[in-house]
Amino acid sequence: MRILWLLVLVVLGGGHLSRGANTNMSGRPKSVNIGSILTLDSFVGKAAKVAIDAAVEDVNSNLAVLPGTKLNITTFDSGNSGFLGIIEAMHFMETETMAIIGPQSSVIAHVISHVANELQVPLLSYAATDPTLSSLQYPLFVRTSPNDMFQMAAIAELVEHYEWRKVIAIYVDDDFGRNGIVALADKLGSKQCDISYKAALSPDATKVEIRDVLAHVALLESRIFVVHTYPERGLDIFSVAHDLGMMDNGHVWFATNWLTTMLDSKDVLSPEIFESIQGVITLRIHTPGSKKKTDFISRWRNLTKQEAASSSPMGLNSFALYAYDTVWLLAQAIDIFFEKGGNLSFSPYSMLNDVNTGSLNLNAMSIFNGGNLLLDSILQVNMTGVTGPYSFTSDRNLFRPAFEVINVIETALRGIGYWTDYSGLSILPPEKVYSKKPNRSISNQQLYSVIWPGQTTERPRGWVFPQNGRALKIGVPYRVSYGEFVTKEPGTNMFKGYCIDVFLAALNLLPYGVPYKLIAFGDGRVNPSNNELVRLITTGVFDAAVGDLAITTNRTRIVDFTQPYIESGLVVVVPVKKSSSNFWAFLMPFTPSMWGVTAMFFLIVGSVVWLLEHRLNDEFRGPPRKQFVTTLWFSLSTLFYAHRENTVSILGRFVLFIWLLVILIITSSYTASLTSILTVQQLSSPIKGIESLVHSKDPIGFPVGLFVRDYLIQELGIQESRLVPLNLPEDYARALHDGPSNGGVAAVVDFRAYMELFLSTHCDFSIVGQEFTKSGWGFAFPRDSPLAIDMSTAILKLSESGELQQIHDKWLQRSACSSETTKLSVERLELRSFVGLFALCGLACIFALLIHFVGILHQFFRHHYEPDPEPLASSSSQSRSSRLQSFLTFVNEKEETVKARSKRRRLEGVSNASRFGDSTLNGSRNMKQNCRLGEVPVS
């Protein structure tokens, strides 16, 4: 490539005036030269020329920018030619040009960027929006308008917002068109969307060529079109599409900002143009309103007077605004360049020294020595222009790009919202969106209503069944049994059943068409292997599989499944027999252990109440036989709340309250269970579920073609010799009736969905235990298939709308035979269900007895017990025995008697003390009297 550019320089360098080997101008020069490469025969070029000249004039008249230095601009018309663009770039290097503004074409920008790299001249383009120009290959290229990458992101979000998945891209086949569509494909891919077809057009395509391309596009399924081209070519595309009837109902057209650029640039458009673009959604670069922008817009009519005199009035488009700001950006960057000590110096292009130029004068070609410093200065500028805040991000893109979303209606452009890289789609202007936290939730993505092509407000479906698309080969298991799920119509290639109806209903909800062909898998005599059907998807034999396909771990390793459309785990079905009531049916609600513990607690509670009431309540006193009968009758009568004995102690009432609560719960449970036993038909089977089946040695039936066999062997460890393959429901019934002793099976393991249909006509069998797998059925697709994701979304919509249940009821409505009124051996109430209740009652009894015992001890030591002052060792055992006998006697006494005896003893003690005191007093008096008489007491 470098040799190529050397040859170009050799050709173009001849005839130019020679110059010294090095030019150096220190300090701030009186003027600097900048170049401008435009395409003056285009809308953008004409408006940009006016805007650039106005900006240069404004900069030179503003003393705050580049004081003492004047901008000199030289403009060349590239005529939309890359070769002429190279020549013009060479011309600029003869006049010590610091930077070049333009070109507006991405194709020319690619070419000139190579020259800019070699000669170190910054290249600032306001209209070359090709995303690849931002690559490291072009370090001197600076884009001063939004990158097409952001425009394509906006279109991708629009496609996602309206729930479409596939689009057709129509574009001009050059650097601008191709690279823009690549960016669109990347952005659509991030939204789980894609470009189903790329329709490329020659940059010079005629209407005949456009018609041929669109005629082919019209045969495809997608009706979502994205047009990325130049204004003149784009109008031709819409004109041809209108003639072909592709602007009618059901079609959706997106146009990149070339359309608004053209519409803004022309004040007057013919009705034919507007007629061909009705309902189109397009984008316009958003430039916020400001005083600078308003002033410039008001000047625009005066600035374009000269051009308007010779042609139609020139409108102001977004690129003209960016061209104006580009000049100001460059002026401020040059000012920063000189402030940093940069010099306007140029050096000869040393690579030409080794070239044999003959008589050609190549000394005119020079390198700008301050190119990199000026580039850094450009990227550092932070200003506010007519397009709003103006600065660059770290990846050299403009800060916070935004677009207006526009709907073409009749002869007007109607804004329906905005797009920002900050928060996506919104009806609020970007300036208000930036003041909030970024929010890309679905509920926050809002737009106003759209008038679509055909003058309709209803969102187009976006697809039709294609006339030349390849149909998906979808494998369907050709089952022999349970045709309610999927079966083949005899003598046709058509299928019906629950699975087929769900598939078709989900397919109709997709935002695009899917051509398909259902292909039978199996011979119709034996149920085919679903594992093999899934495997054939990985080999390309089938593109998908639809039917009763269980979602298992092994299968998800090789294919992608949709959201389950029915839950159906494995269950155990066994033959059962009716169990009729007998003489002892009333004992069935409780297990023996429950009966035993309940009876024991009747005795315990009666005994505890007797102990608590015996010393206080006369009803619990009397002869031992009477007390035993009273206690027993009291405890049993509490079962019916018919006890006549009153409880007078607080502790007795506490224990009785807890016991009555226990009785209430137990009797209620007993009554409910007995009612169920006597009113519901009972069935019985020795097999209670998968656990008892695994631990038995009986043979087990399983369905042919499903993964049940592998699951029983690999996951549950059942010996293969115990497994018996069964094909039809009749085989199930016969094997279960025969039983293990007659060559049959003890149970059948199959999916619940199948077994519910089976049991609806076979009432002498039943499901025992719980489902022991929690799998569902789904449709299978190749790994990473976007169709699997879209079908999952459609299945969820069917479920939310209730249509999935309607399909279920249509095919799988169960009959009365499998009614819930038939149960398999209602479980008896076990002791473990009431352990907590009995424990509460037991603790209450223990607590009451402890308090009662402590109270008795206190009374005993206070009112009755009198310790022996000096007990003899020989009589210690006799003393303990007498104390124990005394305590038991005390306990058996009525509390009132004890308290009365204690009171009497206290009164007798007081009386004796009083008499002893009187006798002592009389003796003292007699002694004193004898002393006074001279009597001496005899010692």
Side-chain angles (χ1 to χ4, degrees):
M1 179 62 72
R2 177 164 293 185
I3 295 175
L4 174 62
W5 294 122
L6 290 177
L7 294 175
V8 172
L9 294 175
V10 169
V11 173
L12 299 177
H16 296 298
L17 297 175
S18 61
R19 180 188 303 118
N22 184 66
T23 303
N24 186 5
M25 187 179 297
S26 61
R28 285 182 178 266
K30 292 183 179 181
S31 64
V32 294
N33 298 325
I34 60 174
S36 174
I37 301 177
L38 305 174
T39 305
L40 295 179
D41 61 348
S42 65
F43 303 123
V44 174
K46 291 177 181 178
K49 174 68 167 61
V50 176
I52 290 173
D53 290 342
V56 171
E57 182 181 351
D58 293 344
V59 168
N60 289 333
S61 62
N62 192 324
L63 299 179
V65 181
L66 286 176
T69 302
K70 180 182 179 182
L71 282 183
N72 292 330
I73 187 166
T74 303
T75 301
F76 286 114
D77 182 9
S78 66
N80 204 24
S81 169
F83 182 72
L84 292 178
I86 295 174
I87 295 176
E88 291 158 2
M90 298 301 105
H91 281 306
F92 290 138
M93 299 319 299
E94 302 171 14
T95 57
E96 298 179 346
T97 300
M98 292 185 67
I100 300 175
I101 296 177
Q104 69 190 53
S105 167
S106 296
V107 176
I108 300 176
H110 273 280
V111 177
I112 299 180
S113 292
H114 290 284
V115 179
N117 289 347
E118 295 294 331
L119 302 180
Q120 295 295 297
V121 179
L123 187 64
L124 292 80
S125 178
Y126 54 87
T129 55
D130 177 4
T132 62
L133 288 169
S134 298
S135 64
L136 298 177
Q137 184 181 7
Y138 308 115
L140 273 296
F141 178 84
V142 178
R143 183 186 290 104
T144 59
S145 63
N147 191 329
D148 267 350
M149 175 181 62
F150 300 106
Q151 181 175 210
M152 298 307 175
I155 292 179
E157 293 205 27
L158 285 168
V159 172
E160 181 191 38
H161 176 73
Y162 291 110
E163 299 181 350
W164 296 311
R165 286 294 178 268
K166 295 182 181 294
V167 305
I168 294 176
I170 303 173
Y171 63 99
V172 60
D173 194 10
D174 61 8
D175 291 334
F176 164 72
R178 284 192 303 271
N179 296 329
I181 295 304
V182 169
L184 175 62
D186 291 342
K187 295 301 180 181
L188 286 172
S190 66
K191 306 293 183 183
Q192 300 297 325
C193 308
D194 65 348
I195 299 176
S196 60
Y197 184 76
K198 296 180 180 180
L201 294 170
S202 168
D204 300 320
T206 64
K207 280 195 173 184
V208 174
E209 294 172 335
I210 294 174
R211 182 179 294 273
D212 293 339
V213 171
L214 293 185
H216 175 72
V217 165
L219 300 177
L220 305 179
E221 72 271 15
S222 178
R223 286 297 179 263
I224 314 299
F225 306 104
V226 178
V227 180
H228 183 55
T229 181
Y230 302 112
E232 296 81 2
R233 204 67 58 238
L235 290 179
D236 291 341
I237 291 173
F238 281 118
S239 176
V240 173
H242 181 266
D243 294 340
L244 293 176
M246 298 176 67
M247 300 299 297
D248 298 334
N249 287 344
H251 296 79
V252 177
W253 290 86
F254 291 101
T256 52
N257 60 357
W258 63 264
L259 182 56
T260 52
T261 299
M262 185 271 296
L263 296 176
D264 292 339
S265 300
K266 287 190 172 185
D267 284 351
V268 179
L269 289 174
S270 65
E272 291 78 11
I273 293 179
F274 272 108
E275 184 180 358
S276 65
I277 59 175
Q278 287 299 298
V280 173
I281 295 180
T282 184
L283 300 176
R284 176 195 284 143
I285 302 174
H286 174 70
T287 54
S290 64
K291 188 177 184 305
K292 286 186 176 181
K293 180 180 177 181
T294 303
D295 293 343
F296 185 75
I297 293 175
S298 63
R299 291 173 56 195
W300 185 253
R301 187 67 63 182
N302 293 330
L303 293 174
T304 58
K305 275 184 179 180
Q306 184 176 355
E307 287 77 4
S310 58
S311 60
S312 60
M314 183 186 303
L316 177 61
N317 58 61
S318 300
F319 289 116
L321 297 175
Y322 279 100
Y324 180 84
D325 277 349
T326 300
V327 175
W328 277 94
L329 169 71
L330 183 57
Q332 294 195 27
I334 294 174
D335 196 20
I336 297 173
F337 171 80
F338 287 130
E339 288 178 357
K340 290 182 177 180
N343 294 322
L344 190 62
S345 61
F346 296 83
S347 300
Y349 187 63
S350 59
M351 295 294 293
L352 296 176
N353 295 335
D354 298 330
V355 177
N356 184 8
T357 61
S359 60
L360 298 177
N361 182 12
L362 300 180
N363 292 330
M365 300 301 103
S366 58
I367 297 174
F368 177 34
N369 296 328
N372 289 324
L373 180 59
L374 179 57
L375 176 65
D376 293 338
S377 301
I378 292 171
L379 298 177
Q380 291 176 9
V381 171
N382 190 348
M383 69 176 196
T384 300
V386 296
T387 59
Y390 213 94
S391 61
F392 294 93
T393 60
S394 58
D395 55 359
R396 292 165 53 167
N397 285 312
L398 286 184
F399 185 63
R400 286 184 175 174
F403 289 88
E404 299 176 35
V405 184
I406 304 226
N407 185 204
V408 180
I409 302 175
E410 295 183 352
T411 59
L413 302 181
R414 173 175 171 263
I416 61 173
Y418 302 89
W419 178 90
T420 63
D421 192 41
Y422 184 75
S423 282
L425 301 173
S426 173
I427 58 176
L428 298 176
E431 295 74 36
K432 292 185 179 180
V433 172
Y434 295 145
S435 63
K436 302 178 181 180
K437 291 184 179 180
N439 184 358
R440 286 188 174 269
S441 63
I442 296 177
S443 60
N444 194 59
Q445 305 299 299
Q446 298 178 352
L447 291 173
Y448 291 116
S449 60
V450 177
I451 304 297
W452 303 101
Q455 299 295 313
T456 178
T457 58
E458 183 179 356
R459 180 184 68 88
R461 189 177 188 178
W463 63 272
V464 294
F465 289 104
Q467 300 180 26
N468 63 346
R470 186 183 75 87
L472 295 179
K473 295 177 294 182
I474 299 179
V476 180
Y478 190 1
R479 293 190 56 85
V480 181
S481 59
Y482 303 115
E484 293 88 347
F485 291 98
V486 57
T487 186
K488 186 179 179 183
E489 293 279 10
T492 69
N493 291 323
M494 300 178 63
F495 291 82
K496 65 178 182 179
Y498 170 72
C499 301
I500 301 299
D501 279 6
V502 172
F503 173 73
L504 296 178
L507 208 63
N508 288 332
L509 293 179
L510 295 182
Y512 50 87
V514 179
Y516 66 92
K517 180 181 181 181
L518 299 179
I519 302 174
F521 175 70
D523 55 11
R525 293 188 295 272
V526 178
N527 288 330
S529 170
N530 284 350
N531 283 338
E532 180 64 16
L533 174 59
V534 171
R535 189 191 67 81
L536 291 178
I537 297 177
T538 64
T539 62
V541 175
F542 294 117
D543 298 312
V546 170
D548 49 346
L549 303 175
I551 303 173
T552 65
T553 303
N554 291 334
R555 292 175 182 176
T556 56
R557 292 193 179 105
I558 59 176
V559 297
D560 282 347
F561 280 93
T562 62
Q563 172 81 13
Y565 58 87
I566 187 174
E567 298 293 335
S568 183
L570 294 178
V571 294
V572 177
V573 174
V574 298
V576 293
K577 59 181 180 180
K578 297 179 181 179
S579 57
S580 58
S581 300
N582 53 37
F583 295 117
W584 304 105
F586 69 93
L587 296 177
M588 293 179 63
F590 287 164
T591 60
S593 59
M594 179 65 184
W595 280 116
V597 172
T598 303
M600 181 181 66
F601 261 84
F602 271 103
L603 299 177
I604 291 174
V605 171
S607 301
V608 170
V609 173
W610 178 84
L611 287 173
L612 297 175
E613 295 289 323
H614 178 67
R615 300 184 74 245
L616 298 173
N617 195 338
D618 290 336
E619 295 183 2
F620 289 88
R621 299 187 63 80
R625 180 179 179 182
K626 177 180 179 298
Q627 294 182 44
F628 174 76
V629 172
T630 299
T631 302
L632 184 61
W633 170 252
F634 174 82
S635 61
L636 293 177
S637 62
T638 56
L639 178 63
F640 310 102
Y641 307 100
H643 50 284
R644 294 175 299 175
E645 294 78 9
N646 294 322
T647 52
V648 296
S649 67
I650 296 177
L651 293 176
R653 291 175 177 177
F654 168 70
V655 171
L656 183 60
F657 171 77
I658 298 297
W659 176 241
L660 291 178
L661 177 64
V662 173
I663 288 296
L664 174 64
I665 297 174
I666 289 177
T667 54
S668 300
S669 303
Y670 175 86
T671 303
S673 180
L674 183 61
T675 302
S676 176
I677 291 173
L678 296 179
T679 58
V680 178
Q681 182 184 12
Q682 303 299 311
L683 304 176
S684 62
S685 170
I687 298 175
K688 304 301 180 182
I690 188 62
E691 295 83 2
S692 59
L693 185 62
V694 170
H695 291 97
S696 70
K697 302 297 182 181
D698 297 329
I700 304 171
F702 72 92
V704 175
L706 303 182
F707 84 104
V708 179
R709 173 185 175 277
D710 295 338
Y711 183 87
L712 295 176
I713 296 174
Q714 299 172 6
E715 301 296 332
L716 300 182
I718 296 177
Q719 296 179 356
E720 186 175 0
S721 59
R722 293 179 56 193
L723 302 181
V724 179
L726 302 173
N727 196 38
L728 299 173
E730 292 76 13
D731 299 337
Y732 289 11
R734 183 172 55 255
L736 288 171
H737 275 305
D738 292 343
S741 58
N742 297 318
V745 297
V748 171
V749 176
D750 204 344
F751 287 105
R752 176 177 284 277
Y754 294 141
M755 291 297 94
E756 288 179 347
L757 287 177
F758 175 74
L759 295 177
S760 66
T761 55
H762 297 80
C763 299
D764 47 353
F765 306 109
S766 180
I767 296 174
V768 294
Q770 302 295 323
E771 292 185 17
F772 54 93
T773 63
K774 294 296 182 182
S775 60
W777 293 355
F779 306 133
F781 293 89
R783 293 301 298 267
D784 301 322
S785 170
L787 191 56
I789 299 175
D790 293 344
M791 288 291 286
S792 294
T793 303
I795 291 172
L796 288 175
K797 290 181 179 178
L798 290 175
S799 177
E800 293 170 356
S801 65
E803 187 175 352
L804 190 61
Q805 184 62 40
Q806 294 175 8
I807 300 174
H808 179 276
D809 295 342
K810 171 185 174 182
W811 290 98
L812 309 178
Q813 188 67 41
R814 296 162 57 189
S815 67
C817 181
S818 58
S819 171
E820 291 297 328
T821 59
T822 300
K823 295 185 178 180
L824 182 64
S825 60
V826 176
E827 293 186 0
R828 306 175 72 181
L829 298 176
E830 298 182 358
L831 176 62
R832 61 184 178 183
S833 302
F834 300 92
V835 168
L837 200 61
F838 285 123
L840 176 63
C841 183
L843 290 175
C845 292
I846 295 172
F847 175 74
L849 288 176
L850 285 176
I851 295 179
H852 180 68
F853 183 71
V854 170
I856 290 178
L857 286 178
H858 176 71
Q859 289 182 0
F860 178 72
F861 286 110
R862 179 180 178 183
H863 301 296
H864 182 81
Y865 177 63
E866 296 178 358
D868 235 352
E870 292 182 1
L872 297 175
S874 61
S875 61
S876 60
S877 60
Q878 185 178 358
S879 175
R880 285 193 296 270
S881 176
S882 62
R883 285 197 298 271
L884 178 61
Q885 184 178 359
S886 177
F887 176 74
L888 293 177
T889 302
F890 175 80
V891 170
N892 190 47
E893 288 183 318
K894 193 174 182 180
E895 188 172 330
E896 292 180 357
T897 304
V898 173
K899 289 182 178 180
R901 184 173 60 249
S902 177
K903 182 178 181 181
R904 185 171 58 252
R905 286 180 179 178
R906 286 198 303 271
L907 293 175
E908 290 176 354
V910 171
S911 176
N912 292 335
S914 175
R915 287 196 300 271
F916 177 77
D918 291 344
S919 61
T920 302
L921 179 61
N922 292 334
S924 299
R925 290 176 179 174
N926 292 334
M927 185 176 292
K928 289 180 180 179
Q929 185 176 0
N930 291 334
C931 289
R932 285 196 302 269
L933 293 177
E935 295 179 354
V936 179
V938 180
S939 61

